[in-house]
Amino acid sequence: MPHASAQDLDQHLRSAATGVGPFTPAELAGLDRLELFPEDACAVLDAVGLPALYADARHGGALRDHRELVDSLRVVARHDLTVAVAHGKTFLGSAPVWVAGAPDQAARLAEAVAGGAVVSWALTEAGHGSDLLAGELTARREKGSWRLNGEKWLINNATRGRLLCVLARTRENGGPRGFSLFLVDKGQLAPHSWRVLPKVPTHGIRGADISGIAFDCARVPDSALVGVEGAGIETVLRTLQLTRTVCTALSLGALDHGLNIAASYASGRNLYDRTLARLPRVRRILGEAVAALATAEAVTTVAARSIHTHPEEMAVISAVTKAFVPTLVQDALERLAELLGVRGFLSESYEEGAFAKLERDHRIVAVFDGSTAVNRSLIIDHFALLTRAWNARSTLNATEDLPEEPVPPFDPARLRLLSMRGCGLIQSLPATVRRLSRSPGTDRLPGGVARMAGDLAAVTESVHAGMAQQERNGRYVPQSAFDLAARYELCFAGAAALRMWQESARTPYDALSLRASLTTVLGRLGLEVDEACRAAYDGLADRLLDTSEQLPPSPLTRAEQESAL
């Protein structure tokens, strides 16, 4: 199924952002003010074949590498987060079928998705939030069919979507084995057996179809069941390992966009007979934001690849990625807002209010597919496993070779609810640091990087020691556990940056980006980092400001990476 590469997609959207195209800032801002769905923008994405990338290649779609999907959604989010959320939701709604659906069911869905069918994921209900085990929508078995009764609420594309993957209670007492998933086609439901619930006004992503759906004895065939009866919660948890990783593309695109606006403003704004871009403080803010982007990109890239290479570890990797990336990006956007001053808050006058819109819209990303607190709770649940694996790492292959390209096909059967073997990237960190210190290519490392890598390994040791001593009594989880989880995320980020630099022959993540990322990580861990290392921020700012279109210097798509080599 043909689809545009991320690089080609970017070119299409640039064209659609000129004249009176549907991606022009004025058009998108107008839709946002009126809370209207971006139909024409989504039609552009359909026309270039993006929906095919939402469908697993095993079933006839184009999705062979989740990094490619991340790159493409990042490109869309770089232009507008509402469009990315509205269109990309089809992947989230379809993913449970790629994880657990029968081959014929998955093949039919892949064909529908590639043809432009919109799919929603109907999980949540009013009053229950993320407590899926409290869900009240029921499915009762009849001869050859099921009857759905109840409501799902705050569902993206519930009104516009043709298909919905619905979580329903199939045992009266519920429980972990008391829920099942159903792929529901509205077009096959009897009239008056379902109705859509009104669109819910939202602070951000105002044009998105955030609504709901109600079923009243709606009959669906046995073939609508996704996987086996009673496995709904397990399938949801496994699917979230994919969607949590992929939705961080929204954060990367938001920061791409924010940096472009801030760099253009700094270059064009004169103050005291010179541009803002020449002020050391302004350059430092820009450089720190670029470093945040490079760090977030390293984490997301490693996580998206791990879907293929280390699916057994995705329970912890996806939670780390989803907790870390939106948090880091939101902090960076807030610093850029400081640089822009009042222009960062104007909703119309400056750049059609694009920065105020993207900063507002991005806040929802931290809530998607489990909030930061939810994901840190999942990391806390892994403390004992992570500590045990860390202590046993000498018996493991800690000097694991870098993964080969292309990545192996995604195998959902290898996904686990818990990562019993810990996190290989973290466990290999001490060996990575030793290898860097004695490698013949060590002279490629800029000053201070070897020392910073050693500091990172020492902090990682102390974080595991803290996790080993952490007490947890039933449902009570102390704040200290969440603090440790946040520190573990930073250790993962530093290890991801080192891994990306090791692979710089394939991915142009250079020494300057590495130094800036490690400086960011260690600084957020509370370690002292000298000004010589912080100077990497200024180097990244110079790159940004020297770029003709003032786009972030970080590689933006897989195709761009390849052409840069």
Side-chain angles (χ1 to χ4, degrees), residues 309-521:
T309 59
H310 298 90
E312 297 88 353
E313 298 180 9
M314 284 306 299
V316 66
I317 291 175
S318 62
V320 166
T321 302
K322 181 57 173 57
F324 178 79
V325 171
T327 300
L328 184 67
V329 166
Q330 190 62 40
D331 289 349
L333 289 174
E334 290 175 4
R335 293 297 309 282
L336 293 178
E338 174 189 340
L339 186 158
L340 288 166
V342 69
R343 289 164 180 78
F345 295 90
L346 297 176
S347 59
E348 296 184 22
S349 302
Y350 183 73
E351 297 289 334
E352 303 291 344
F355 187 88
K357 179 182 183 302
L358 77 87
E359 194 274 338
R360 180 203 69 201
D361 288 351
H362 180 260
R363 292 180 182 275
I364 193 62
V365 179
V367 179
F368 283 155
D369 294 357
S371 66
T372 301
V374 167
N375 282 287
R376 286 182 177 159
S377 292
L378 293 172
I379 299 171
I380 293 167
D381 289 340
H382 276 86
F383 275 5
L385 293 171
L386 293 172
T387 302
R388 183 169 62 198
W390 173 262
N391 292 334
R393 65 190 181 279
S394 61
T395 64
L396 301 175
N397 181 18
T399 58
E400 177 185 18
D401 291 334
L402 299 179
E404 297 181 359
E405 299 290 347
V407 293
F410 167 56
D411 182 1
R414 293 172 60 191
L415 294 173
R416 298 289 181 267
L417 298 186
L418 287 172
S419 177
M420 302 303 293
R421 65 184 195 182
C423 176
L425 179 70
I426 290 284
Q427 288 149 216
S428 66
L429 179 59
T432 297
V433 172
R434 290 194 299 271
R435 189 161 58 248
L436 287 175
S437 65
R438 61 173 182 259
S439 170
T442 301
D443 55 355
R444 289 194 298 147
L445 287 169
V449 164
R451 175 181 53 78
M452 285 195 290
D455 289 344
L456 177 65
V459 172
T460 304
E461 177 73 50
S462 69
V463 167
H464 283 89
M467 291 193 300
Q469 298 170 6
Q470 186 67 55
E471 294 183 2
R472 180 174 180 176
N473 299 318
R475 291 178 177 267
Y476 173 73
V477 184
Q479 180 59 43
S480 57
F482 286 91
D483 294 341
L484 273 172
R487 292 177 69 79
Y488 186 84
E489 295 161 22
L490 287 161
C491 294
F492 183 96
L498 285 166
R499 177 58 61 88
M500 291 289 287
W501 183 79
Q502 286 179 280
E503 299 179 47
S504 58
R506 286 200 302 262
T507 57
Y509 190 92
D510 64 9
L512 182 62
S513 297
L514 173 62
R515 184 168 57 163
S517 288
L518 290 178
T519 299
T520 296
V521 166

